[in-house]
Amino acid sequence: MSASEDAPAGPVLVISAHAGDFVWRAGGAIALAAARGAAVTVLCLSYGERGESARAWREGKQLAEIKAIRRAEASAAAEVLGAAIEFADAGDYPLRESDALIDLIVRCYRRVQPEVVLTHPLADPYNGDHPAAARMALNARVYAQAAGYDAPGEPLGAPPVYFFEPHQPEMCDFKPQVLLDITEVFRVKRAAMECLPAQQHMWDYYTELARRRGVQLQRNAGPNLGLPHDTMAEAYMRLYPQVTRMLR
Ligand SMILES: [Zn+2]
């Protein structure tokens, strides 16, 4: 990879429905961006307190305590990854789309001025909160671009939107259009995952997924010839066309 491909760091904004989503699905991208000096902000719309905290509920904990636990876990994971994190505390199961929440996201865009946006894909038959987060993230991006939208800060440019890989990609119309090599920061991603013991069952799952995507990234090089490799990757889809002067 050439240095010029690494160059456009830019601020990165990650919009996550729940407390753990950004870690499993985009932790590598976040750590890579932070490592090259980009400011990364995670906007966590809810704590995943009802839908993605089964272990805490089974242990008899109550809502307020679970939210505090998930907030602390997500904050620790973001710190390990090198990102700032903000919480909207909008509630999950359901995460409700509202003008107020979209406005909060618009204000975040205007403040962060991201050059890259990461969020969920628009389909997930297993979890309606994820597409709800994506719809709000996309609508807010468009509103933030409008000079007439009443929110502080300059209108947003046109940052590309990448959808991170959902838990069941085949069911979410997800195709791995972009394979991001996260080998050099995988250790950081794993450490961030381990900040979330509420979802310990995910640590190995997402380590194995990174290994499989790493094999795909290498194409016909070592791994597919049975040679040892340590390549780890994350998969993404692009929503908008890539703008370029050179096809590659
Ligand atoms: Zn989630």
Side-chain angles (χ1 to χ4, degrees), residues 26-38 40 81 180-185:
I30 294 169
L32 271 180
R36 69 176 179 249
V40 185
L81 295 171
L180 181 69
D181 189 335
I182 61 166
T183 310
E184 67 185 74
V185 295

Side-chain angles (χ1 to χ4, degrees), residues 18 21 25 52 130:
H18 307 119
D21 299 336
R25 291 157 192 160
E52 297 182 2
H130 295 157

